[in-house]
Amino acid sequence: MSGAYGKDLERWIPRLIAVWREARKKGDGPETRLTPQEVKEVGAGVKQLSLGLTRDRKLAGAKYMDDPRLLGAYLLFYWPVSYAQAREALGELPNRPRTALDLGSGPAPVAFAALDAGASEVTAADRSKPALTLARALAAEAGEALATREWDPTRKAAPPEGKYDLITMGHVLNELYGAGDEAVKPRAALLEQVLAQVKPGGSLLVLEPALRETSRLLLKVRDVMVEKGYAIRAPCMYRGACPALVKESDWCHAEREWPMPRVVEEIARAAGLHKESLKMSYLVLAPKGEDWPEPRTDRLFRIVSESLEGKGRQRYIGCGPEGRMGLAMQEKHRTEKNERFLKLNRGDVISVTNTEAKGDGLALDDTSEVRVVAYAGKGIPPEPKEPKGT
């Protein structure tokens, strides 16, 4: 598990189990584990949630958090997943937030991720009273200060008043306003409304599932926001219309290595799910009037694919200020200055030199230099300034 937040998440596991057992008013067992019967029970709920949220999508937008069995399944399985996703994305913020608002919070995994990432005042807002009750119980269990508010976007309710350094929306946007292109404009309008409450220098973080449909719709919302003049802090460096939307078969999502907490692994097995890595789609947006990060002079690409290894060569899809393209290098061209290219992860940002246009992208050779400018989950640093007098 990521060294940056792995221990924080491990501390949450016994709290989640304790709050779950208290809410169902039956059962006890080890503090850090579930009994085999509990695993079976929760696994059945997770299987139903997975089907309804990632396959037939029949639960998307429904009040599934008001069902005690499904809410419990969410708490023990999707809560740790959402927490880890949020901690990964929060690592890319340019500034540490002090005040945060988590919209569509459910039992507040993203809100608690913001607290653990350094925020001191966090409000969780959701339409589900049972979910907010569990969020308050978790706050009491952890000795954390968490404010809760009711917020129902389906009734066009305005978000809780105030200005915040960070506003988060974890897996909520994809459940609003339908499931096709008709949802793009109202989703963008909601983000614009929310961004009006973000303080200068602050950010809006939108986390979504890594499904093709939900990811492509998020990219279409991104394009509307970019057209309206909003800057993207992460993960995009390309300032035009998203190049991943050109081909119907493409989409863009993040993937991180993530050894699961034991409880999550046991539930995944019981539910018949394979979850070796952490996958998500995300955007970090700046408030109106703030520009994109200052462009660097070196040639940057974010790796947006898995390794596309072939016989005697390594290849990835990269996306940077000049767009989305293939990056490839033959093994025979490996040198000390470019060998890092052979072992990159999706999400890493690299700088490359001495490339040649070839096919659908760029070819690197033994004169190329490859440096990792930012590892996946870390913000891109400003370009180092040349020392005076050089």
Side-chain angles (χ1 to χ4, degrees), residues 188-268:
L190 176 61
L191 295 193
E192 194 162 23
Q193 179 189 7
V194 169
L195 275 161
Q197 292 183 238
V198 175
K199 292 179 184 176
S203 301
L204 166 61
L205 166 62
V206 181
L207 286 171
E208 293 281 74
L211 307 170
R212 178 179 164 278
E213 297 80 7
T214 54
S215 298
R216 284 181 66 85
L217 282 173
L218 180 62
L219 296 179
K220 289 176 182 181
V221 172
R222 170 218 178 268
D223 282 1
V224 172
M225 299 304 288
V226 168
E227 211 173 291
K228 287 179 178 237
Y230 289 91
I232 310 295
R233 297 205 193 280
C236 313
M237 290 181 278
Y238 187 64
R239 301 185 180 204
C242 178
L245 290 173
V246 174
K247 288 185 190 170
E248 198 66 34
S249 56
D250 285 344
W251 78 98
C252 195
H253 69 275
E255 186 169 0
R256 306 280 191 265
E257 283 187 14
W258 187 59
M260 288 182 280
R262 184 173 178 174
V263 168
V264 177
E265 194 176 353
E266 288 176 343
I267 295 169

Side-chain angles (χ1 to χ4, degrees), residues 35 45 50 96 98 119 154 163-165 168 189 228 241 285-286 326 376 389:
T35 65
S50 176
R96 178 182 284 192
R98 193 181 72 80
T154 63
K163 292 272 189 178
Y164 303 87
D165 300 313
T168 56
K228 287 179 178 237
L285 297 105

Side-chain angles (χ1 to χ4, degrees), residues 48-90:
Q48 190 179 340
L49 280 173
S50 176
L51 176 67
L53 293 175
T54 68
R55 293 181 206 167
D56 66 22
R57 301 280 294 158
K58 285 180 180 174
L59 286 178
K63 292 190 171 183
Y64 54 88
M65 293 240 181
D66 288 353
D67 178 328
R69 194 174 67 88
L70 295 183
L71 178 57
Y74 180 93
L75 186 72
L76 293 177
F77 184 78
Y78 287 107
W79 197 106
V81 172
S82 295
Y83 176 96
Q85 291 171 335
R87 288 299 298 270
E88 285 285 351
L90 290 170

Side-chain angles (χ1 to χ4, degrees), residues 176-188 217 220:
L176 298 175
Y177 314 121
D181 284 353
E182 76 279 357
V184 172
K185 284 190 176 175
R187 287 179 188 176
L217 282 173
K220 289 176 182 181

